[in-house]
């Protein structure tokens, strides 16, 4: 018998496995819940003895666990499964649109507001058959854990192919720090710690299921790299120092800044981005050789109209895009930024792990006019080809990367499998 896997055979195997898992969930539900859930289930309330073994452990799920109305393996068919955090606005939404339009990816939108995601997807023309919106509040570590439980139930035995850690908050106007549900400064909690835990909970599953060309992408920023104009010349500079704020007796809780100093909202964002890029470096060093997963970061360009600037004053939101477009040359439109992030997810060139990707000069210089094109170039703005960029010495400091890893693991309460903890 031929061992060749045709699209039809793959679809049938996915369908069979998904139906079995669905049936298994049915038999484990309380009667009232089972009756309500049967309206969404292809098998109604019928039991399946094969599926029972696949559904073991459902009853031990955390309190408040909810079973999605339909398993992702059914809805997605043979498309690759891609989680995008912060997919309901800005860069995440644009990336979801590009990937969905390709026809190769089914998007699992990890968002705070699922109704908003549905509304924005409709506005952007993303078909309902191409995505599923799932609750995930990155500032609440319990919510992150619940999301991963729901994700596993949703996808069934299938592998997750791509994780895109994109969501972020920027709070430059705050005179005093906000703290997360777990007691951590909000910028660091959302931008770094929530994503750090998410990677911990998802990567092992990706490795076990051996998805082909699996990728984890964490969005970086020039603001966390002091070897760029935006990161080196624009005050304040990112500086995690020796992570004194996390290493102290408070264990990072109710501590305004990672370096142990007074709160500075704009710097808190930049420090979190340093941690994001360090996380990619450590994941690559510890995991890539064992798992084959590609770990990447990128700077998508200055998205001057991003909702990330919603905390800025009105004059800034109006003037900044014009300044970046006509003065510095660093401007990138929302649609182009989505295309750039999608490229890191899909392009064979970007299958190289441990890379920080950039375009058009990577914003290391002020823009100059190319006499051949009569366009501004070199500032990381619109156009240009993708290339492997380098990062600041702070980001690439191996001792600091390792310290960040150990302290972050302690703060979020996670452990990494021994097989993947060997330092290469």
């Amino acid at each position: 018998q031929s061992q060749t896997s045709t699209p039809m055979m793959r679809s049938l195997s996915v369908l069979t496995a998904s139906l079995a898992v669905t049936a298994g969930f049915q038999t484990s539900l309380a009667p009232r819940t089972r009756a309500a859930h049967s309206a969404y289930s292809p098998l109604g309330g019928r039991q399946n003895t094969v599926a029972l073994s696949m559904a073991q452990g459902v009853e031990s799920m955390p309190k408040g666990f909810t079973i999605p109305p339909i398993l992702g393996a059914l809805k997605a068919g043979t498309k690759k499964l891609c989680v995008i955090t912060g997919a309901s606005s800005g860069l995440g939404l644009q990336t979801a649109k590009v990937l969905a339009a390709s026809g190769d990816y089914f998007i699992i939108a990890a968002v705070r507001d699922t109704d908003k995601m549905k509304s924005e997807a409709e506005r952007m023309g993303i078909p309902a058959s191409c995505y599923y919106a799932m609750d995930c509040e990155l500032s609440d570590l319990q919510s992150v854990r619940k999301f991963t439980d729901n994700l596993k139930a949703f996808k069934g035995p299938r592998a997750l192919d791509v994780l895109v850690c994109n969501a972020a908050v920027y709070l430059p106007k705050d005179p005093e720090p906000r703290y997360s549900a777990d007691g951590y400064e909000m910028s660091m909690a959302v931008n770094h710690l929530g994503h750090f835990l998410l990677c911990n909970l998802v990567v092992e599953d990706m490795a076990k299921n051996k998805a082909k060309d699996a990728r984890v992408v964490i969005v970086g920023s020039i603001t966390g790299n002091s070897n760029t104009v935006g990161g080196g010349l624009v005050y304040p500079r990112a500086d995690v120092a020796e992570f004194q704020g996390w290493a102290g007796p408070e264990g990072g809780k109710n501590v305004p800044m990672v370096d142990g100093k007074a709160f500075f909202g704009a710097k808190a964002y930049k420090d979190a981005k340093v941690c994001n890029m360090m996380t990619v470096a450590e994941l690559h060093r510890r995991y890539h050789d064992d798992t084959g997963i590609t770990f990447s970061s990128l700077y998508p360009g200055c998205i001057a109209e991003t909702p990330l600037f919603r905390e800025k004053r009105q004059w800034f939101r109006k003037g900044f895009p014009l300044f970046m477009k006509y003065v510095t040359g660093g401007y990138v439109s929302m649609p182009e930024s989505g295309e750039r992030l999608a490229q890191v997810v899909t392009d064979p060139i970007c299958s190289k792990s441990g890379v920080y990707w950039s375009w058009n000069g990577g914003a290391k210089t002020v823009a100059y006019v190319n006499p051949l094109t009569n366009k501004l170039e070199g500032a990381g703005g619109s156009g240009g080809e993708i290339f492997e960029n380098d990062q600041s010495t702070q980001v690439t400091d191996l001792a600091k990367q390792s310290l960040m890893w150990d302290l972050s693991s302690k703060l979020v309460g996670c452990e990494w499998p021994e097989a993947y903890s060997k330092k290469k």
Side-chain angles (χ1 to χ4, degrees):
Q1 184 178 353
S2 172
Q3 298 299 311
T4 303
S5 177
T6 67
M8 177 64 73
M9 290 168 62
R10 289 196 300 270
S11 297
L12 287 173
S13 65
V14 167
L15 179 62
T16 301
S18 300
L19 290 174
V21 173
T22 303
F25 283 135
Q26 291 290 332
T27 60
S28 67
L29 298 174
R32 181 179 300 176
T33 306
R34 183 165 63 244
H37 185 66
S38 63
Y40 297 101
S41 171
L43 297 183
R46 286 176 287 170
Q47 296 186 3
N48 185 308
T49 55
V50 175
L52 283 174
S53 61
M54 300 179 68
Q56 286 179 352
V58 172
E59 292 180 350
S60 63
M61 290 292 185
K63 186 178 180 180
F65 173 79
T66 56
I67 295 175
I70 184 170
L71 294 182
L74 280 175
K75 193 173 182 181
T78 59
K79 293 179 181 178
K80 291 186 175 182
L81 299 181
C82 175
V83 167
I84 303 178
T85 66
S88 61
S89 67
L91 176 60
L93 181 60
Q94 294 291 337
T95 305
K97 179 180 180 180
V98 175
L99 293 177
S102 75
D104 296 326
Y105 291 84
F106 181 87
I107 309 303
I108 300 169
V111 295
R112 292 185 297 175
D113 187 338
T114 56
D115 288 336
K116 177 185 176 183
M117 179 65 210
K118 294 171 186 176
S119 175
E120 288 298 291
E122 183 177 2
R123 180 180 67 84
M124 294 288 286
I126 303 175
S129 60
C130 293
Y131 77 96
Y132 185 83
M134 198 174 291
D135 290 306
C136 184
E137 174 54 75
L138 287 164
S139 69
D140 184 342
L141 297 177
Q142 182 56 33
S143 176
V144 175
R145 292 186 175 92
K146 181 179 176 182
F147 167 79
T148 58
D149 287 333
N150 281 325
L151 173 63
K152 290 174 183 178
F154 183 79
K155 70 182 184 63
R158 289 192 56 177
L160 177 67
D161 297 277
V162 181
L163 170 64
V164 177
C165 297
N166 157 76
V169 296
Y170 178 51
L171 308 170
K173 288 171 52 180
D174 283 11
E176 300 293 334
R178 307 180 200 181
Y179 291 101
S180 71
D182 303 282
Y184 302 122
E185 188 277 318
M186 190 62 75
S187 296
M188 191 61 75
V190 173
N191 303 357
H192 169 58
L193 293 175
H195 283 134
F196 188 86
L197 177 61
L198 181 59
C199 288
N200 171 263
L201 297 172
V202 167
V203 166
E204 185 178 8
D205 182 74
M206 293 175 74
K208 283 181 178 179
N209 287 293
K210 297 181 179 179
K212 184 178 180 181
D213 193 25
R215 303 189 187 190
V216 172
V217 182
I218 303 179
V219 177
S221 173
I222 60 166
T223 63
N225 280 305
S226 58
N227 62 340
T228 64
V229 174
L233 298 181
V234 178
Y235 180 79
R237 284 188 176 189
D239 184 10
V240 297
E242 299 300 324
F243 296 92
Q244 294 93 326
W246 290 356
E250 299 87 355
K253 293 198 173 185
N254 300 310
V255 174
M257 299 293 287
V258 67
D259 61 2
K261 297 182 179 179
F263 180 71
F264 197 147
K267 181 177 179 296
Y269 172 83
K270 294 181 178 183
D271 290 348
K273 283 298 164 184
V274 170
C275 292
N276 284 157
M277 293 180 283
M278 284 181 169
T279 299
V280 169
E282 282 292 281
L283 283 167
H284 166 72
R285 186 161 65 95
R286 297 168 184 258
Y287 272 63
H288 174 66
D289 288 347
D290 289 341
T291 67
I293 297 172
T294 297
F295 300 99
S296 307
S297 186
L298 75 150
Y299 169 56
C302 182
I303 316 168
E305 293 154 336
T306 174
L308 192 64
F309 292 138
R310 55 184 169 267
E311 296 284 337
K312 299 290 283 187
R313 293 178 176 84
Q314 184 66 25
W315 67 265
F316 178 91
R317 295 200 301 272
K318 286 187 176 182
F320 188 57
L322 299 175
F323 178 75
M324 294 304 298
K325 183 181 291 187
Y326 299 110
V327 179
T328 73
Y331 174 88
V332 174
S333 69
M334 295 286 289
E336 185 173 6
S337 69
E339 292 170 0
R340 287 181 170 184
L341 178 48
Q343 182 178 4
V344 177
V345 170
T346 64
D347 197 325
I349 293 174
C350 300
S351 62
K352 183 177 179 180
S353 187
V355 176
Y356 172 63
W357 298 101
S358 297
W359 292 257
N360 199 2
K364 289 188 176 180
T365 66
V366 176
Y368 56 87
V369 178
N370 185 326
L372 298 178
T373 63
N374 201 35
K375 294 182 178 180
L376 290 173
E377 295 184 3
S382 181
E385 298 296 323
I386 192 170
F387 70 98
E388 296 180 32
N389 205 348
D390 55 358
Q391 296 171 299
S392 68
T393 54
Q394 177 177 215
V395 173
T396 58
D397 186 306
L398 293 178
K400 287 189 177 182
Q401 288 176 2
S402 183
L403 182 59
M404 177 283 302
W405 181 273
D406 292 341
L407 290 173
S408 296
S409 298
K410 184 177 180 180
L411 264 57
V412 304
C414 74
E415 295 181 358
W416 297 88
E418 187 64 29
Y420 306 137
S421 296
K422 299 174 183 177
K423 297 179 180 179
K424 305 296 180 186

